Amino acid sequence: MSTVARNQQRSSTSGDGSRESAQVAAASGALRRRPVQQRSTERVTRMLDACAELLDEVGYTKLTTTLIANRADVAIGSVYQFFGDKRAVVRALGMRHLEVFFESLATHIAQRQPAHWWDLVDIAIDEYIAMHRSEPGFRTTHFGDAVDINLLDDSRTNNDVLTDRIERLLDEHFNIGSPRGLDMALTVAVETADALIKLAFRRDPDGDPALLAEAKKIIRQYLATYVQDRDS
C-alpha cells in the first residue's frame, strides 16, 4: 500500500486528525495559503505524501507538480492553490520531516530518559538514522539539502535550523542555558553526523552498520571532549 493510500485509510479511521493538522501547520511557511477545513488539510497531506514517494522514485530533477497531482489524486489547480511550484512542495515536506523528527525524538527521550545532555544527542542520531530507513522522501532530500541547503530558512542552513532546535530541546530537558562553546560543539556534531550518515546510506541502502556505529562513536567521543574541556 502506498503512503498516499495509507494516509487516506488513516484519515478515514482517525479521530480528530490532530497529528496530521500539526504537521501541515509546521509546513505552513512554504504554503501559499494555510488550509482551514479538514478536507483541505487532508488534500495538502496527500500532496506531501505523493511528493515524498516520487522523490524516492524519480528524484528531485524529474519531479513535477503534475506528477504530484496525479499521485495525490487531486487537480493540478489544487497543487497551485497551496504551492507556488515543486520547490515549495519539497520545502513543506522538509518542514514536515523536521516536525516528524522532533515528535519521534520526544517519544524516545520519554522512553529512554537520558541521564546527560550528550545522551540526548545520541538519541537524536539514532532517530536521524531511523528517518532514513522509514520516512518516505527523507533519504533523498534529508531536510531539503538535495534542493537547497537554505530550504527550511532563507537566512540559515538546514543543519543550522536542526542544531538550533536540538539546542532548545537540550535546554528544555536539562536547563543548560547557552554555555560558551556549545553552539560550536553542536554545529560540529550535527555536521559530522550528517556527513557520515549520508555516506553510510550511499554505501548501503539500509545504512552501512559499521560506518553508522563509527559515526556514533566519533560524535560521542567529540562531545565527551567538549564536556571535559568545559569542566577543566
Side-chain angles (χ1 to χ4, degrees):
M1 183 183 292
S2 71
T3 304
V4 175
R6 282 197 302 271
N7 185 71
Q8 290 172 327
Q9 183 183 65
R10 205 165 47 235
S11 296
S12 66
T13 58
S14 62
D16 58 7
S18 58
R19 185 172 185 270
E20 174 184 282
S21 298
Q23 290 177 7
V24 169
S28 62
L31 297 175
R32 275 181 160 172
R33 53 174 291 203
R34 181 171 174 173
V36 177
Q37 298 180 339
Q38 181 63 27
R39 184 172 61 181
S40 297
T41 297
E42 290 171 357
R43 274 208 311 272
V44 171
T45 299
R46 292 207 309 273
M47 293 178 214
L48 295 178
D49 289 342
C51 178
E53 289 183 355
L54 289 164
L55 283 168
D56 285 340
E57 293 172 17
V58 305
Y60 180 73
T61 302
K62 295 182 179 179
L63 181 71
T64 66
T65 52
T66 299
L67 285 175
I68 293 170
N70 290 340
R71 179 64 61 90
D73 194 24
V74 300
I76 188 66
S78 291
V79 177
Y80 289 114
Q81 180 182 8
F82 293 102
F83 301 101
D85 51 25
K86 72 174 185 179
R87 183 182 181 277
V89 186
V90 176
R91 185 180 186 192
L93 180 65
M95 292 175 175
R96 188 176 76 167
H97 280 156
L98 191 69
E99 198 64 24
V100 169
F101 174 80
F102 280 99
E103 284 177 356
S104 297
L105 185 54
T107 298
H108 287 98
I109 289 170
Q111 291 172 345
R112 291 167 60 174
Q113 293 291 308
H116 304 286
W117 68 262
W118 52 90
D119 294 324
L120 188 152
V121 176
D122 199 55
I123 295 172
I125 294 173
D126 284 340
E127 188 54 39
Y128 190 61
I129 292 169
M131 289 278 288
H132 280 75
R133 291 174 173 153
S134 63
E135 193 68 24
F138 187 76
R139 71 169 62 195
T140 304
T141 62
H142 303 96
F143 290 115
D145 297 350
V147 179
D148 184 347
I149 62 169
N150 302 106
L151 193 71
L152 299 179
D153 186 325
D154 292 337
S155 63
R156 297 182 294 169
T157 69
N158 302 327
N159 276 348
D160 283 343
V161 173
L162 178 62
T163 301
D164 180 65
R165 288 281 298 268
I166 289 175
E167 186 170 355
R168 279 188 277 154
L169 194 63
L170 290 172
D171 191 40
E172 177 187 330
H173 285 272
F174 294 99
N175 194 30
I176 62 173
S178 299
R180 182 175 56 84
L182 179 62
D183 286 348
M184 179 64 74
L186 288 177
T187 296
V188 171
V190 167
E191 292 287 352
T192 303
D194 181 41
L196 291 174
I197 291 169
K198 286 176 180 174
L199 175 60
F201 280 90
R202 286 199 301 270
R203 287 189 174 182
D204 182 334
D206 292 323
D208 183 300
L211 193 49
L212 290 174
E214 194 68 15
K216 290 188 67 177
K217 184 171 73 173
I218 288 170
I219 300 304
R220 164 70 69 161
Q221 290 174 343
Y222 169 71
L223 289 176
T225 300
Y226 165 77
V227 173
Q228 290 168 4
D229 289 345
R230 179 169 165 252
D231 291 342
S232 61

